[in-house]
Amino acid sequence: MSVVDTTLIAGYTVGDGLVLAAALFVTLAVAMLYRAIMGPTNQDRVLAVNVLGTNTVVILALLGAALGEPWFLDIALVYALLNFLMSIAISKFTVERGGVI
């Protein structure tokens, strides 16, 4: 029996709680998507895209733990590295164009 199968409260398992937490992060990601599209400045858009990437990493990690699939964590790590590189690239591009992030 794994930790994910352990019963918490009223018949719900740890895995159910992790899936619920992932669903809440998806809801937050939808709110950030609005900010990424409708942000008044480029800085708002860059920050919203960075938060979306971080939410994606957290969602993948939660689903990996809830479903007992360790390869979800590998994908989350790669996505986190790509998210970091994207932030650096956007910052460099903005500074080269004369703007300041």
Side-chain angles (χ1 to χ4, degrees):
M1 179 191 238
S2 68
V3 175
V4 176
D5 296 329
T6 305
T7 302
L8 282 178
I9 299 171
Y12 292 106
T13 63
V14 174
D16 294 336
L18 292 174
V19 170
L20 178 65
L24 290 174
F25 273 102
V26 168
T27 305
L28 292 174
V30 170
M32 269 305 129
L33 184 62
Y34 173 78
R35 175 56 75 185
I37 294 171
M38 304 301 285
T41 64
N42 284 336
Q43 291 86 356
D44 289 329
R45 290 185 179 101
V46 169
L47 187 60
V49 169
N50 197 1
V51 169
L52 279 170
T54 304
N55 272 350
T56 303
V57 170
V58 170
I59 290 166
L60 284 171
L62 286 171
L63 288 177
L67 300 175
E69 298 289 340
W71 55 273
F72 271 87
L73 297 177
D74 297 336
I75 295 171
L77 272 172
V78 170
Y79 197 82
L81 290 171
L82 289 174
N83 189 35
F84 172 72
L85 290 175
M86 182 269 317
S87 297
I88 298 298
I90 289 175
S91 299
K92 184 176 171 75
F93 176 74
T94 303
V95 169
E96 285 178 357
R97 287 183 46 208
V100 176
I101 281 192

